[in-house]
Amino acid sequence: MNKGKRSSVPSRVLAMAAALAAITPAVQAEESSLKVDGYLRQELSWNLLNWADTPGYDDRRKLSMFRTTVRVNSEWKATDDITVVGKFRATRETKTDFLRHLEKMGANNYGSTNGRGDIMDLYNEAEIRELYVDFPLGDRTKVRFGKQQVAWGETDFFAANDLVHGFNLTWRSFLEPANEELRKPNIMAKINVDVPELDGGVEVLIRPGWDRTKDIGTEIDIYGGRWSSQPYAGVDFRNIDPYDYKNKEGNYRKVTGGVRWSGVAKDINYSLSYLNTFYPSPILNASSTLGLFGMPTTPSGATTVGRSNTAGVAGDIIYPIVDVFGLTASGYSNLADAVFSTEIAVIKDAPYQILAATPTPISQAVAPGFDGIKRKDVLAWMLRMDKNIAATQTWLGTEKPMFFSMQLFDKWIQDYKREDGLLNSVGWGGRTKEHSFLLTGIFSLSYDNGRVRPEFVIGRDITYGGGFAVPSVTMELSKSLRWKVEYDKFWSDKWRDGTQCTYPNAASCDNSGLFGYFHKRDQLYTSLTYLF
């Protein structure tokens, strides 16, 4: 991602749009049909706690987000067989006092000449979300070509197989329930071939490498913004470890893709897949030389991958390409009166940050994880049960049974050795364990013919501790107007204390896990959506 260019429409996307128009046959106006819909949405959020990493500033009750979004979806049926779909989104935010304070602290200041950047470059955008054409090839084959989203998986939260695309978690993090709003679309050809003789079909994905750099990998807030992880508010890490999208381990121009078979066997829906894709989590490629904070340029002890040395003084951020072998299955159980689903993914050579037995001076001075990368095969899996609970009609007066979903996630590292020093993430000292279990639950109610929908989402990190709870209610004010109010609560017994993690103790002074990253980040969120 380049500072100041989030709102631009790249020339390759415009070229693709022209190509789509060129391959669409000319038709008479009366033979075509155009459908347009979308929404206008206003979103606001407030901090509910005083952040631990904004000294001298009281964050409580400060407006953290004032976001206005317009989304337009169009579908043009050019002929009986050819359809062109376009989805466009523009977002503008107001620079609140809280965002202005983060900006003064240094948020999004990478590349600035005066040490101050414009934090609004992180949030304001106008983009073509999707633009593709659907057309058939014979009786069994359908082709979709263009910028699009493809979801491979069964999970609501932490993906195992849904790794075709990365996600943008800088403005809303993982709490946004509509994955299509966070997912980064890519320019691809998707080919579906029906095989009715075997009760299934084949789907082939080819991504030719025409995307922008910012469309690759899952983007977390390393810029010091609203969803930066504690204790790094106001810290733009690109100043010491910028992105490297051309690294040989994960060049954004490389052709990627996959193939999936989906079918039905004795009332069980299943799929088998292979995917060659960018590892979703950003990985810190540590510098092999020193030079940080006036240190002499000498070997650091870390091994840089994909190039002779890194673009930044401490390293750079890469998205290595991995192979993923996946399986999904779902079916209804009469005994439990519930739908059970599973998702399994074998990720070959998944990259992990490491904490060396003798940490590099950069790790000792900055944070754990600047010691290099180690690859491990990982078996990621999920089990889910979806069930309607009729008792809530009596207990809680709901108009229909409550929808309940429970999901258990795990990442099982193969050939695990504690002495490898694997870390959950760069910047925190929490050691990765052989299994990483996470349990989530969704309770969804309905009143007044679906016009009032309370929901409660809860998650518990079984392995590392901590969790989250998100109670919310969505109200249908009219046919076109929706209002949602939500409380985002996080907790953890372990978090990184930035005041104590200083040289030479920065490499090993904490054990924070996932929810330690969200320490003091509780928020009140509301949105008002007008559908048209």
Side-chain angles (χ1 to χ4, degrees), residues 70-263:
V70 60
R71 168 78 174 258
V72 177
N73 307 315
S74 64
E75 180 180 303
W76 176 39
K77 192 169 181 60
T79 70
D80 289 340
D81 296 329
I82 300 176
T83 303
V84 179
V85 174
K87 300 179 181 181
F88 313 91
R89 187 176 70 186
T91 298
R92 287 294 179 271
E93 290 204 21
T94 297
K95 187 182 291 187
T96 66
D97 288 342
F98 171 71
L99 293 181
R100 189 172 288 108
H101 180 73
L102 293 180
E103 184 181 84
K104 290 179 180 178
M105 291 178 63
N108 198 45
N109 69 354
Y110 175 64
S112 65
T113 57
N114 59 1
R116 287 281 297 275
D118 188 352
I119 195 172
M120 304 315 293
D121 289 339
L122 296 178
Y123 309 121
N124 293 336
E125 63 179 4
E127 64 174 342
I128 300 173
R129 291 290 292 164
E130 298 186 62
L131 182 61
Y132 58 81
V133 59
D134 286 331
F135 59 92
L137 287 178
D139 296 332
R140 295 190 175 194
T141 303
K142 297 179 181 178
V143 178
R144 174 171 293 177
F145 173 72
K147 189 175 184 181
Q148 58 187 286
Q149 297 187 38
V150 176
W152 282 5
E154 298 280 345
T155 60
D156 293 319
F157 291 101
F158 304 98
N161 277 319
D162 193 9
L163 303 179
V164 177
H165 306 275
F167 294 83
N168 180 1
L169 304 182
T170 61
W171 66 273
R172 185 74 177 106
S173 198
F174 70 94
L175 296 173
E176 176 59 43
N179 282 342
E180 64 270 18
E181 296 291 350
L182 300 178
R183 193 179 284 115
K184 294 181 175 183
N186 292 137
I187 301 170
M188 296 186 295
K190 182 168 75 76
I191 304 167
N192 289 88
V193 181
D194 291 332
V195 187
E197 298 85 353
L198 299 177
D199 294 325
V202 176
E203 182 172 82
V204 177
L205 301 179
I206 303 172
R207 177 193 156 274
W210 299 349
D211 302 293
R212 304 167 295 181
T213 55
K214 61 175 280 188
D215 294 329
I216 300 303
T218 292
E219 187 179 357
I220 61 175
D221 190 347
I222 64 167
Y223 317 118
R226 179 170 60 230
W227 280 98
S228 58
S229 299
Q230 201 277 143
Y232 299 122
V235 178
D236 191 337
F237 272 96
R238 291 172 299 173
N239 288 302
I240 61 172
D241 46 31
Y243 288 104
D244 178 11
Y245 291 103
K246 296 183 179 180
N247 189 285
K248 292 180 181 179
E249 296 286 315
N251 192 322
Y252 79 110
R253 291 294 194 185
K254 184 176 179 181
V255 177
T256 57
V259 58
R260 181 174 72 157
W261 168 268
S262 300

Side-chain angles (χ1 to χ4, degrees), residues 16 47 50 64 77 206 279 338 353 423 519:
M16 185 195 70
N47 298 322
N50 188 27
S64 61
K77 192 169 181 60
I206 303 172
Y279 192 69
Q353 313 289 169
L423 296 176
H519 179 60

